[in-house]
Amino acid sequence: MSKVVPYHTDSLEYPPSHRNVYHDRDNCPAGKTIKQAHRKPGDAGRPRCKDCKNLD
Ligand SMILES: [Zn+2]
């Protein structure tokens, strides 16, 4: 339940709603589906994930 370093994914394995945003919560439902191997650090200039916002 904590804030983590922003991460995102470029993997086409995920729907755009998960891919076109960045996440910064370790308990984000969308972020949790992103496998560790597919995670990249940083926000990539993307908007913040709505689910992560809701967890604030
Ligand atoms: Zn998220």
Side-chain angles (χ1 to χ4, degrees):
M1 304 270 203
S2 61
K3 201 161 187 173
V4 295
V5 177
Y7 63 94
H8 66 281
T9 184
D10 284 330
S11 173
L12 297 175
E13 202 169 305
Y14 307 100
S17 57
H18 294 193
R19 199 172 63 234
N20 294 339
V21 296
Y22 76 89
H23 308 272
D24 62 2
R25 291 280 165 176
D26 60 6
N27 58 330
C28 169
K32 273 201 295 196
T33 68
I34 300 173
K35 292 175 193 154
Q36 204 62 44
H38 293 149
R39 287 188 187 204
K40 294 188 174 184
D43 63 16
R46 298 173 190 187
R48 191 172 175 215
C49 161
K50 285 193 185 75
D51 290 332
C52 289
K53 270 185 202 165
N54 288 338
L55 293 168
D56 271 346

Short mmCIF file of all heavy atoms in Angstrom, two decimals:
data_model
loop_
_atom_site.label_atom_id
_atom_site.label_comp_id
_atom_site.label_asym_id
_atom_site.label_seq_id
_atom_site.Cartn_x
_atom_site.Cartn_y
_atom_site.Cartn_z
N MET A 1 0.84 -1.21 0.00
CA MET A 1 0.00 0.00 0.00
C MET A 1 0.86 1.24 0.00
O MET A 1 0.68 2.10 0.83
CB MET A 1 -0.83 0.07 1.28
CG MET A 1 -1.69 -1.12 1.51
SD MET A 1 -3.27 -0.89 0.75
CE MET A 1 -4.24 -2.00 1.71
N SER A 2 1.81 1.31 -0.88
CA SER A 2 2.65 2.49 -0.80
C SER A 2 3.00 3.02 -2.17
O SER A 2 2.83 2.35 -3.18
CB SER A 2 3.92 2.18 -0.03
OG SER A 2 4.62 1.16 -0.71
N LYS A 3 3.45 4.23 -2.11
CA LYS A 3 3.87 4.88 -3.33
C LYS A 3 5.22 4.30 -3.73
O LYS A 3 6.09 4.09 -2.88
CB LYS A 3 4.00 6.38 -3.06
CG LYS A 3 3.94 7.19 -4.31
CD LYS A 3 3.59 8.64 -4.01
CE LYS A 3 3.39 9.35 -5.33
NZ LYS A 3 2.89 10.71 -5.15
N VAL A 4 5.39 4.05 -5.00
CA VAL A 4 6.66 3.51 -5.48
C VAL A 4 7.20 4.41 -6.59
O VAL A 4 6.51 5.33 -7.04
CB VAL A 4 6.50 2.07 -6.00
CG1 VAL A 4 6.10 1.12 -4.87
CG2 VAL A 4 5.49 1.99 -7.12
N VAL A 5 8.41 4.14 -7.00
CA VAL A 5 8.99 4.88 -8.11
C VAL A 5 8.09 4.68 -9.34
O VAL A 5 7.66 3.56 -9.60
CB VAL A 5 10.42 4.36 -8.40
CG1 VAL A 5 11.03 5.06 -9.60
CG2 VAL A 5 11.29 4.55 -7.18
N PRO A 6 7.78 5.76 -10.05
CA PRO A 6 6.90 5.62 -11.21
C PRO A 6 7.39 4.55 -12.18
O PRO A 6 8.59 4.40 -12.40
CB PRO A 6 6.95 7.00 -11.87
CG PRO A 6 7.29 7.93 -10.77
CD PRO A 6 8.19 7.14 -9.84
N TYR A 7 6.46 3.81 -12.72
CA TYR A 7 6.79 2.78 -13.70
C TYR A 7 5.71 2.74 -14.77
O TYR A 7 4.60 3.21 -14.58
CB TYR A 7 6.97 1.42 -13.03
CG TYR A 7 5.72 0.88 -12.34
CD1 TYR A 7 4.87 0.02 -13.01
CD2 TYR A 7 5.41 1.25 -11.03
CE1 TYR A 7 3.72 -0.48 -12.39
CE2 TYR A 7 4.28 0.75 -10.41
CZ TYR A 7 3.43 -0.11 -11.09
OH TYR A 7 2.31 -0.59 -10.47
N HIS A 8 6.08 2.16 -15.90
CA HIS A 8 5.13 2.04 -17.01
C HIS A 8 5.53 0.81 -17.81
O HIS A 8 6.51 0.14 -17.48
CB HIS A 8 5.19 3.29 -17.89
CG HIS A 8 6.49 3.48 -18.60
ND1 HIS A 8 7.61 3.97 -17.98
CD2 HIS A 8 6.88 3.18 -19.86
CE1 HIS A 8 8.61 4.00 -18.85
NE2 HIS A 8 8.20 3.52 -20.00
N THR A 9 4.80 0.52 -18.84
CA THR A 9 5.18 -0.59 -19.71
C THR A 9 4.96 -0.20 -21.17
O THR A 9 4.07 0.60 -21.48
CB THR A 9 4.38 -1.87 -19.39
OG1 THR A 9 4.87 -2.93 -20.21
CG2 THR A 9 2.89 -1.69 -19.62
N ASP A 10 5.78 -0.76 -22.03
CA ASP A 10 5.60 -0.58 -23.48
C ASP A 10 5.10 -1.88 -24.10
O ASP A 10 4.94 -1.97 -25.31
CB ASP A 10 6.93 -0.21 -24.14
CG ASP A 10 7.29 1.24 -23.88
OD1 ASP A 10 6.37 2.06 -23.74
OD2 ASP A 10 8.50 1.54 -23.83
N SER A 11 4.88 -2.88 -23.28
CA SER A 11 4.52 -4.19 -23.81
C SER A 11 3.11 -4.19 -24.38
O SER A 11 2.16 -3.74 -23.73
CB SER A 11 4.62 -5.24 -22.71
OG SER A 11 4.12 -6.46 -23.19
N LEU A 12 2.97 -4.71 -25.59
CA LEU A 12 1.66 -4.76 -26.24
C LEU A 12 0.76 -5.82 -25.61
O LEU A 12 -0.39 -5.98 -26.01
CB LEU A 12 1.83 -5.04 -27.73
CG LEU A 12 2.59 -3.96 -28.50
CD1 LEU A 12 2.81 -4.39 -29.95
CD2 LEU A 12 1.85 -2.64 -28.47
N GLU A 13 1.30 -6.50 -24.63
CA GLU A 13 0.53 -7.52 -23.92
C GLU A 13 -0.60 -6.88 -23.09
O GLU A 13 -1.53 -7.55 -22.69
CB GLU A 13 1.49 -8.26 -22.99
CG GLU A 13 1.03 -9.62 -22.58
CD GLU A 13 2.16 -10.38 -21.90
OE1 GLU A 13 3.24 -10.51 -22.50
OE2 GLU A 13 1.95 -10.83 -20.77
N TYR A 14 -0.49 -5.59 -22.85
CA TYR A 14 -1.46 -4.92 -21.98
C TYR A 14 -2.35 -3.98 -22.77
O TYR A 14 -1.92 -3.42 -23.77
CB TYR A 14 -0.72 -4.16 -20.88
CG TYR A 14 0.24 -5.06 -20.16
CD1 TYR A 14 1.60 -5.03 -20.47
CD2 TYR A 14 -0.21 -5.98 -19.23
CE1 TYR A 14 2.48 -5.90 -19.86
CE2 TYR A 14 0.67 -6.85 -18.62
CZ TYR A 14 2.01 -6.80 -18.93
OH TYR A 14 2.88 -7.67 -18.33
N PRO A 15 -3.58 -3.79 -22.33
CA PRO A 15 -4.49 -2.88 -23.04
C PRO A 15 -4.00 -1.44 -22.92
O PRO A 15 -3.28 -1.10 -21.98
CB PRO A 15 -5.82 -3.07 -22.30
CG PRO A 15 -5.47 -3.62 -20.97
CD PRO A 15 -4.20 -4.40 -21.15
N PRO A 16 -4.39 -0.60 -23.88
CA PRO A 16 -3.94 0.80 -23.87
C PRO A 16 -4.24 1.51 -22.56
O PRO A 16 -3.46 2.36 -22.14
CB PRO A 16 -4.73 1.44 -25.02
CG PRO A 16 -5.05 0.30 -25.93
CD PRO A 16 -5.22 -0.91 -25.05
N SER A 17 -5.34 1.14 -21.92
CA SER A 17 -5.68 1.81 -20.66
C SER A 17 -4.62 1.56 -19.59
O SER A 17 -4.47 2.34 -18.66
CB SER A 17 -7.05 1.33 -20.16
OG SER A 17 -7.05 -0.07 -20.01
N HIS A 18 -3.89 0.47 -19.70
CA HIS A 18 -2.81 0.17 -18.76
C HIS A 18 -1.48 0.68 -19.28
O HIS A 18 -0.59 1.01 -18.51
CB HIS A 18 -2.67 -1.34 -18.54
CG HIS A 18 -3.86 -1.96 -17.87
ND1 HIS A 18 -3.82 -3.22 -17.36
CD2 HIS A 18 -5.09 -1.48 -17.61
CE1 HIS A 18 -5.00 -3.52 -16.83
NE2 HIS A 18 -5.79 -2.47 -16.98
N ARG A 19 -1.37 0.70 -20.61
CA ARG A 19 -0.08 0.97 -21.25
C ARG A 19 0.19 2.45 -21.46
O ARG A 19 1.33 2.89 -21.44
CB ARG A 19 -0.05 0.24 -22.59
CG ARG A 19 1.32 0.02 -23.16
CD ARG A 19 1.25 -0.87 -24.38
NE ARG A 19 0.48 -0.26 -25.44
CZ ARG A 19 -0.56 -0.84 -26.06
NH1 ARG A 19 -0.95 -2.03 -25.73
NH2 ARG A 19 -1.20 -0.19 -27.01
N ASN A 20 -0.87 3.22 -21.69
CA ASN A 20 -0.68 4.63 -22.05
C ASN A 20 -0.60 5.56 -20.86
O ASN A 20 -0.76 6.76 -20.99
CB ASN A 20 -1.80 5.09 -23.00
CG ASN A 20 -1.73 4.38 -24.33
OD1 ASN A 20 -0.68 3.85 -24.70
ND2 ASN A 20 -2.83 4.36 -25.05
N VAL A 21 -0.38 4.99 -19.71
CA VAL A 21 -0.29 5.77 -18.48
C VAL A 21 0.94 5.29 -17.70
O VAL A 21 1.55 4.29 -18.06
CB VAL A 21 -1.55 5.58 -17.61
CG1 VAL A 21 -2.79 6.12 -18.32
CG2 VAL A 21 -1.75 4.12 -17.24
N TYR A 22 1.26 6.00 -16.63
CA TYR A 22 2.28 5.46 -15.72
C TYR A 22 1.61 5.19 -14.37
O TYR A 22 0.56 5.75 -14.06
CB TYR A 22 3.48 6.40 -15.58
CG TYR A 22 3.25 7.61 -14.70
CD1 TYR A 22 3.51 7.55 -13.33
CD2 TYR A 22 2.82 8.81 -15.24
CE1 TYR A 22 3.32 8.66 -12.52
CE2 TYR A 22 2.62 9.93 -14.44
CZ TYR A 22 2.88 9.84 -13.08
OH TYR A 22 2.69 10.93 -12.27
N HIS A 23 2.23 4.35 -13.61
CA HIS A 23 1.71 3.97 -12.30
C HIS A 23 2.72 4.34 -11.22
O HIS A 23 3.93 4.36 -11.47
CB HIS A 23 1.46 2.46 -12.23
CG HIS A 23 0.62 1.98 -13.37
ND1 HIS A 23 -0.76 1.95 -13.32
CD2 HIS A 23 0.95 1.51 -14.59
CE1 HIS A 23 -1.23 1.49 -14.48
NE2 HIS A 23 -0.22 1.21 -15.27
N ASP A 24 2.24 4.61 -10.03
CA ASP A 24 3.18 4.87 -8.93
C ASP A 24 2.65 4.30 -7.61
O ASP A 24 3.01 4.77 -6.54
CB ASP A 24 3.51 6.36 -8.81
CG ASP A 24 2.31 7.22 -8.49
OD1 ASP A 24 1.21 6.68 -8.31
OD2 ASP A 24 2.49 8.45 -8.42
N ARG A 25 1.81 3.28 -7.73
CA ARG A 25 1.30 2.58 -6.54
C ARG A 25 1.57 1.09 -6.70
O ARG A 25 1.31 0.54 -7.77
CB ARG A 25 -0.22 2.79 -6.40
CG ARG A 25 -0.58 4.20 -6.06
CD ARG A 25 -0.39 4.41 -4.59
NE ARG A 25 -0.38 5.83 -4.26
CZ ARG A 25 -0.31 6.29 -3.03
NH1 ARG A 25 -0.26 5.47 -2.02
NH2 ARG A 25 -0.26 7.57 -2.81
N ASP A 26 2.03 0.48 -5.64
CA ASP A 26 2.32 -0.96 -5.77
C ASP A 26 1.05 -1.80 -5.65
O ASP A 26 1.05 -2.98 -5.98
CB ASP A 26 3.40 -1.42 -4.80
CG ASP A 26 3.04 -1.21 -3.34
OD1 ASP A 26 1.90 -0.81 -3.06
OD2 ASP A 26 3.91 -1.47 -2.50
N ASN A 27 -0.03 -1.19 -5.18
CA ASN A 27 -1.28 -1.96 -5.08
C ASN A 27 -2.30 -1.55 -6.14
O ASN A 27 -3.48 -1.86 -6.03
CB ASN A 27 -1.88 -1.82 -3.68
CG ASN A 27 -2.15 -0.38 -3.29
OD1 ASN A 27 -1.45 0.52 -3.74
ND2 ASN A 27 -3.14 -0.16 -2.47
N CYS A 28 -1.86 -0.88 -7.18
CA CYS A 28 -2.76 -0.51 -8.28
C CYS A 28 -3.21 -1.78 -9.01
O CYS A 28 -2.39 -2.60 -9.39
CB CYS A 28 -2.00 0.40 -9.24
SG CYS A 28 -2.88 0.66 -10.78
N PRO A 29 -4.53 -1.95 -9.21
CA PRO A 29 -5.02 -3.15 -9.88
C PRO A 29 -4.46 -3.30 -11.29
O PRO A 29 -4.12 -4.42 -11.72
CB PRO A 29 -6.54 -2.96 -9.92
CG PRO A 29 -6.86 -1.77 -9.11
CD PRO A 29 -5.59 -1.04 -8.78
N ALA A 30 -4.37 -2.21 -12.03
CA ALA A 30 -3.83 -2.28 -13.39
C ALA A 30 -2.32 -2.49 -13.33
O ALA A 30 -1.76 -3.32 -14.05
CB ALA A 30 -4.15 -1.00 -14.15
N GLY A 31 -1.66 -1.75 -12.46
CA GLY A 31 -0.21 -1.86 -12.34
C GLY A 31 0.23 -3.24 -11.90
O GLY A 31 1.26 -3.74 -12.34
N LYS A 32 -0.57 -3.86 -11.06
CA LYS A 32 -0.21 -5.18 -10.55
C LYS A 32 -0.20 -6.24 -11.65
O LYS A 32 0.44 -7.27 -11.51
CB LYS A 32 -1.20 -5.60 -9.45
CG LYS A 32 -0.78 -5.10 -8.09
CD LYS A 32 -1.42 -5.88 -6.95
CE LYS A 32 -2.92 -5.72 -6.93
NZ LYS A 32 -3.51 -6.16 -5.64
N THR A 33 -0.98 -6.00 -12.72
CA THR A 33 -1.01 -6.99 -13.80
C THR A 33 0.24 -6.90 -14.68
O THR A 33 0.48 -7.79 -15.48
CB THR A 33 -2.25 -6.79 -14.71
OG1 THR A 33 -2.12 -5.57 -15.42
CG2 THR A 33 -3.53 -6.79 -13.90
N ILE A 34 1.00 -5.82 -14.53
CA ILE A 34 2.22 -5.68 -15.34
C ILE A 34 3.33 -6.50 -14.71
O ILE A 34 3.71 -6.28 -13.56
CB ILE A 34 2.63 -4.20 -15.44
CG1 ILE A 34 1.52 -3.38 -16.11
CG2 ILE A 34 3.93 -4.08 -16.24
CD1 ILE A 34 1.78 -1.89 -16.11
N LYS A 35 3.81 -7.46 -15.47
CA LYS A 35 4.88 -8.31 -14.96
C LYS A 35 6.15 -7.52 -14.74
O LYS A 35 6.43 -6.56 -15.48
CB LYS A 35 5.16 -9.44 -15.95
CG LYS A 35 4.02 -10.42 -16.06
CD LYS A 35 4.32 -11.44 -17.14
CE LYS A 35 3.07 -12.22 -17.50
NZ LYS A 35 3.10 -12.75 -18.86
N GLN A 36 6.93 -7.95 -13.77
CA GLN A 36 8.18 -7.27 -13.43
C GLN A 36 9.05 -7.09 -14.68
O GLN A 36 9.64 -6.04 -14.88
CB GLN A 36 8.92 -8.10 -12.39
CG GLN A 36 9.89 -7.29 -11.53
CD GLN A 36 9.21 -6.21 -10.70
OE1 GLN A 36 8.19 -6.46 -10.10
NE2 GLN A 36 9.76 -5.02 -10.68
N ALA A 37 9.10 -8.10 -15.53
CA ALA A 37 9.95 -8.06 -16.72
C ALA A 37 9.48 -7.00 -17.72
O ALA A 37 10.25 -6.57 -18.57
CB ALA A 37 9.97 -9.42 -17.39
N HIS A 38 8.22 -6.61 -17.62
CA HIS A 38 7.66 -5.64 -18.56
C HIS A 38 7.64 -4.23 -17.99
O HIS A 38 7.20 -3.30 -18.65
CB HIS A 38 6.24 -6.04 -18.95
CG HIS A 38 6.17 -7.31 -19.75
ND1 HIS A 38 5.11 -8.16 -19.69
CD2 HIS A 38 7.07 -7.87 -20.61
CE1 HIS A 38 5.33 -9.19 -20.49
NE2 HIS A 38 6.52 -9.04 -21.06
N ARG A 39 8.09 -4.08 -16.76
CA ARG A 39 8.07 -2.77 -16.13
C ARG A 39 9.29 -1.96 -16.51
O ARG A 39 10.40 -2.47 -16.50
CB ARG A 39 8.06 -2.90 -14.61
CG ARG A 39 6.74 -3.37 -14.09
CD ARG A 39 6.78 -3.28 -12.59
NE ARG A 39 5.59 -3.87 -12.01
CZ ARG A 39 5.09 -3.55 -10.82
NH1 ARG A 39 5.73 -2.69 -10.07
NH2 ARG A 39 4.00 -4.12 -10.38
N LYS A 40 9.05 -0.70 -16.83
CA LYS A 40 10.16 0.21 -17.08
C LYS A 40 10.04 1.36 -16.11
O LYS A 40 8.92 1.79 -15.80
CB LYS A 40 10.10 0.73 -18.52
CG LYS A 40 10.30 -0.37 -19.52
CD LYS A 40 10.42 0.17 -20.92
CE LYS A 40 10.79 -0.95 -21.86
NZ LYS A 40 11.00 -0.45 -23.22
N PRO A 41 11.17 1.86 -15.65
CA PRO A 41 11.11 2.96 -14.70
C PRO A 41 10.75 4.28 -15.37
O PRO A 41 11.02 4.47 -16.56
CB PRO A 41 12.55 3.02 -14.14
CG PRO A 41 13.39 2.41 -15.21
CD PRO A 41 12.53 1.42 -15.93
N GLY A 42 10.11 5.14 -14.61
CA GLY A 42 9.81 6.48 -15.09
C GLY A 42 8.38 6.61 -15.57
O GLY A 42 7.66 5.62 -15.69
N ASP A 43 7.98 7.85 -15.86
CA ASP A 43 6.60 8.08 -16.27
C ASP A 43 6.45 8.18 -17.78
O ASP A 43 5.33 8.22 -18.29
CB ASP A 43 6.03 9.32 -15.57
CG ASP A 43 6.76 10.60 -15.96
OD1 ASP A 43 7.49 10.61 -16.95
OD2 ASP A 43 6.59 11.61 -15.23
N ALA A 44 7.56 8.22 -18.50
CA ALA A 44 7.54 8.26 -19.97
C ALA A 44 6.69 9.40 -20.52
O ALA A 44 6.22 9.34 -21.64
CB ALA A 44 7.07 6.92 -20.53
N GLY A 45 6.51 10.43 -19.71
CA GLY A 45 5.72 11.58 -20.15
C GLY A 45 4.23 11.27 -20.28
O GLY A 45 3.49 12.02 -20.91
N ARG A 46 3.81 10.18 -19.71
CA ARG A 46 2.41 9.77 -19.81
C ARG A 46 1.60 10.31 -18.64
O ARG A 46 2.15 10.65 -17.60
CB ARG A 46 2.33 8.24 -19.80
CG ARG A 46 3.06 7.65 -20.98
CD ARG A 46 3.14 6.15 -20.90
NE ARG A 46 4.06 5.70 -21.93
CZ ARG A 46 4.29 4.44 -22.25
NH1 ARG A 46 3.67 3.48 -21.61
NH2 ARG A 46 5.13 4.12 -23.20
N PRO A 47 0.29 10.36 -18.82
CA PRO A 47 -0.56 10.77 -17.69
C PRO A 47 -0.57 9.70 -16.60
O PRO A 47 -0.27 8.53 -16.87
CB PRO A 47 -1.95 10.94 -18.30
CG PRO A 47 -1.93 10.18 -19.57
CD PRO A 47 -0.49 10.10 -20.02
N ARG A 48 -0.91 10.12 -15.41
CA ARG A 48 -0.94 9.19 -14.30
C ARG A 48 -2.19 8.31 -14.37
O ARG A 48 -3.28 8.78 -14.73
CB ARG A 48 -0.94 9.96 -13.00
CG ARG A 48 -0.71 9.10 -11.80
CD ARG A 48 -0.53 9.97 -10.58
NE ARG A 48 -0.42 9.15 -9.40
CZ ARG A 48 -0.91 9.49 -8.22
NH1 ARG A 48 -1.49 10.65 -8.07
NH2 ARG A 48 -0.77 8.68 -7.21
N CYS A 49 -2.01 7.06 -14.03
CA CYS A 49 -3.09 6.09 -14.03
C CYS A 49 -4.23 6.50 -13.10
O CYS A 49 -3.99 6.95 -11.99
CB CYS A 49 -2.48 4.76 -13.60
SG CYS A 49 -3.64 3.57 -13.02
N LYS A 50 -5.47 6.35 -13.57
CA LYS A 50 -6.63 6.74 -12.76
C LYS A 50 -6.72 5.91 -11.48
O LYS A 50 -7.11 6.40 -10.44
CB LYS A 50 -7.92 6.54 -13.56
CG LYS A 50 -8.13 7.59 -14.62
CD LYS A 50 -9.58 7.50 -15.14
CE LYS A 50 -9.81 8.45 -16.30
NZ LYS A 50 -9.19 7.97 -17.55
N ASP A 51 -6.41 4.63 -11.61
CA ASP A 51 -6.48 3.76 -10.43
C ASP A 51 -5.48 4.21 -9.37
O ASP A 51 -5.78 4.20 -8.19
CB ASP A 51 -6.21 2.31 -10.81
CG ASP A 51 -7.35 1.71 -11.64
OD1 ASP A 51 -8.49 2.16 -11.47
OD2 ASP A 51 -7.08 0.80 -12.43
N CYS A 52 -4.29 4.60 -9.82
CA CYS A 52 -3.29 5.10 -8.87
C CYS A 52 -3.79 6.37 -8.19
O CYS A 52 -3.59 6.55 -7.00
CB CYS A 52 -1.97 5.36 -9.58
SG CYS A 52 -1.10 3.85 -10.09
N LYS A 53 -4.45 7.22 -8.96
CA LYS A 53 -5.02 8.45 -8.38
C LYS A 53 -6.03 8.12 -7.30
O LYS A 53 -6.07 8.74 -6.26
CB LYS A 53 -5.71 9.27 -9.47
CG LYS A 53 -4.83 10.24 -10.18
CD LYS A 53 -5.65 11.08 -11.14
CE LYS A 53 -4.74 11.64 -12.21
NZ LYS A 53 -5.50 12.15 -13.36
N ASN A 54 -6.86 7.12 -7.59
CA ASN A 54 -7.91 6.74 -6.64
C ASN A 54 -7.33 6.19 -5.35
O ASN A 54 -8.01 6.15 -4.33
CB ASN A 54 -8.83 5.69 -7.27
CG ASN A 54 -9.73 6.30 -8.32
OD1 ASN A 54 -9.96 7.50 -8.34
ND2 ASN A 54 -10.23 5.47 -9.23
N LEU A 55 -6.10 5.72 -5.41
CA LEU A 55 -5.48 5.13 -4.22
C LEU A 55 -4.82 6.17 -3.34
O LEU A 55 -4.32 5.84 -2.27
CB LEU A 55 -4.44 4.07 -4.66
CG LEU A 55 -5.05 2.83 -5.33
CD1 LEU A 55 -3.97 2.00 -5.98
CD2 LEU A 55 -5.80 1.99 -4.32
N ASP A 56 -4.78 7.40 -3.78
CA ASP A 56 -4.16 8.46 -2.97
C ASP A 56 -4.89 8.64 -1.64
O ASP A 56 -6.10 8.57 -1.61
CB ASP A 56 -4.17 9.79 -3.72
CG ASP A 56 -2.93 9.93 -4.56
OD1 ASP A 56 -1.98 9.16 -4.36
OD2 ASP A 56 -2.93 10.80 -5.44
ZN ZN B 1 -1.98 2.48 -11.73
#
